Amino acid sequence: MRVAFVSLYPEQRRSDGATRRTRRVAEHLAARGHDVVFLCSQWWDGELDAFEQDDVEYVAVSETPSARTFASKLPFALRRADPDVIHATNSPPSQVVAAKTAARVLRVPVVVDWWAARGDDSARMLGKAATSANRVLTPSRMVKTDVREHGAPEDAVTVVPESIDVDLVRESDVDNRADLVYARHLDEHANVESFLLALAELRDRDWRAAIIGDGPERDAAEQTAAELRIDDRVEFLGDLPPAEFVPILKGAHVFAQTATVEPFPRGLLWALAAGCVGIVEYQARSSAHELVENCERGVRVTNPQELADEVVAAAGHERASINEAFADFDHADVLQSYEQLYETERDDYGFF
């Protein structure tokens, strides 16, 4: 199958949850033998109009990340790409509307992978994007509710979660450096302070903690740990690749999820699969609580004191380094969901 991905911002230009998800799906589809072309703003040096990386052909629709220029040129680029299905990210929404214009001529479906709206996305255009797609995919039920509020029909929205490498979890060694772990990009939504406040409540107990991730709020978090007099037992490890952070998760007993905004908590998913007890601080704009629903090794709390209490209660769970209940989140299983959805939408056109 030939799949055309549409994203003004590829991960190589802007790395966030949406772009990482899109790049991962594109590369995994290419690895499975699909013909994948990625239409985006140019992120590579030189005068080449196209650039191949990890079996994905990147095509520059525009030289700069201008939403207006990108949308105006996109229909022509899609006609040249001649895909069987168009896979577009929801932001900026103008690219979805432009993709639909080309899709009508090409007689192919538009699948929109919806992560979150960015600050300059208008509600009117988001509504057009939600209703023009043949199928909208979301990483969680929370995001599905957002899309429904923008006008997408209930039966046109499907939840396809994030994925992880379950074999890596099974095969990794165990690193026992930390009992408690927090892992996320340390931005304004990280809310790592809740985790640190909970640790401060437990300063009289024996524990070691690790914070995995980097970002603009890291210095503030380190300062908070120092002010709470727990910095000697909290190790800030910065960004780590899965091969390095999975062993730490396998050796830990508790993973804390406290971020205020989270379309899908992939760090929590890695931790649960690695056997951690997941403690989720409920936040209105986070879907993390969905992962611990009906999960024996997961619990939801509402404040740092409750988080501290549940850390203590977690002693009632035996330590584990793998939880096979999360095996269905493996890359291969989730990728198959994408393939099946593509085929279903493509077949609805009656040409295959």
Side-chain angles (χ1 to χ4, degrees):
M1 187 186 305
R2 183 165 172 81
V3 183
F5 282 78
V6 172
S7 181
L8 172 65
Y9 296 103
E11 193 203 352
Q12 294 90 339
R13 182 180 279 277
R14 173 188 283 182
S15 182
D16 57 26
T19 59
R20 287 190 292 270
R21 173 177 167 95
T22 305
R23 179 179 180 178
R24 187 163 53 248
V25 175
E27 290 180 356
H28 286 170
L29 284 171
R32 288 270 279 259
H34 295 282
D35 190 6
V36 178
V37 57
F38 199 117
L39 306 180
C40 58
S41 57
Q42 184 170 335
W43 54 268
W44 55 92
D45 295 328
E47 298 180 0
L48 293 174
D49 293 330
F51 185 85
E52 185 170 313
Q53 186 178 74
D54 295 319
D55 297 323
V56 174
E57 181 189 9
Y58 290 87
V59 175
V61 176
S62 60
E63 294 182 0
T64 60
S66 164
R68 178 174 296 182
T69 301
F70 187 80
S72 67
K73 294 183 176 182
L74 181 62
F76 305 100
L78 280 168
R79 291 178 195 179
R80 290 191 294 271
D82 192 25
D84 298 316
V85 62
I86 299 169
H87 177 129
T89 59
N90 69 284
S91 180
S94 57
Q95 69 188 13
V96 178
V97 178
K100 186 64 177 180
T101 298
R104 292 191 184 99
V105 176
L106 295 170
R107 304 294 298 275
V108 298
V110 175
V111 174
V112 175
D113 209 340
W114 199 290
W115 184 263
R118 295 191 174 100
D120 53 353
D121 294 337
S122 74
R124 183 180 67 85
M125 289 301 294
L126 288 168
K128 284 188 174 183
T131 54
S132 62
N134 297 91
R135 172 68 46 184
V136 180
L137 311 181
T138 68
S140 61
R141 298 197 308 272
M142 181 196 77
V143 180
K144 179 177 181 178
T145 298
D146 292 344
V147 179
R148 293 280 290 109
E149 290 175 350
H150 284 297
E154 169 72 26
D155 60 0
V157 187
T158 302
V159 175
V160 178
E162 285 280 66
S163 63
I164 58 173
D165 185 344
V166 175
D167 281 341
L168 176 63
V169 177
R170 294 189 181 110
E171 297 166 5
S172 292
D173 294 331
V174 176
D175 184 333
N176 291 307
R177 76 175 70 186
D179 306 294
L180 315 167
V181 175
Y182 173 103
R184 190 189 185 277
H185 180 59
L186 301 182
D187 60 14
E188 69 273 23
H189 304 301
N191 191 29
V192 69
E193 294 82 1
S194 281
F195 178 53
L196 296 173
L197 287 170
L199 295 181
E201 293 291 329
L202 303 171
R203 62 166 55 88
D204 295 333
R205 294 177 177 267
D206 184 23
W207 52 263
R208 296 160 301 155
I211 294 177
I212 300 171
D214 210 339
E217 296 300 314
R218 176 173 174 173
D219 288 346
E222 292 183 348
Q223 181 62 33
T224 298
E227 292 172 355
L228 293 171
R229 304 192 309 279
I230 57 174
D231 52 313
D232 58 328
R233 289 193 282 170
V234 180
E235 188 176 10
F236 286 80
L237 300 176
D239 287 329
L240 298 176
E244 294 182 28
F245 69 66
V246 167
I248 297 171
L249 294 175
K250 292 183 71 170
H253 190 50
V254 168
F255 183 93
Q257 175 73 34
T258 60
T260 58
V261 177
E262 201 71 273
F264 188 96
R266 194 158 178 257
L268 174 63
L269 175 59
W270 278 108
L272 292 170
C276 289
V277 175
I279 304 178
V280 174
E281 184 177 52
Y282 177 79
Q283 306 287 350
R285 295 304 306 156
S286 170
S287 69
H289 62 280
E290 297 177 23
L291 275 183
V292 296
E293 289 176 359
N294 305 314
C295 175
E296 183 181 351
R297 296 177 69 85
V299 65
R300 191 180 77 176
V301 300
T302 59
N303 56 60
Q305 181 59 63
E306 290 183 4
L307 199 162
D309 293 341
E310 290 299 333
V311 168
V312 175
H317 291 277
E318 293 185 2
R319 284 184 173 267
S321 59
I322 183 70
N323 188 341
E324 292 290 348
F326 293 90
D328 289 345
F329 289 90
D330 183 65
H331 290 317
D333 293 276
V334 176
L335 190 66
Q336 189 173 28
S337 297
Y338 280 99
E339 291 174 319
Q340 290 172 346
L341 285 163
Y342 293 158
E343 291 172 1
T344 297
E345 294 303 323
R346 191 177 66 165
D347 290 346
D348 283 347
Y349 276 80
F351 296 110
F352 302 92

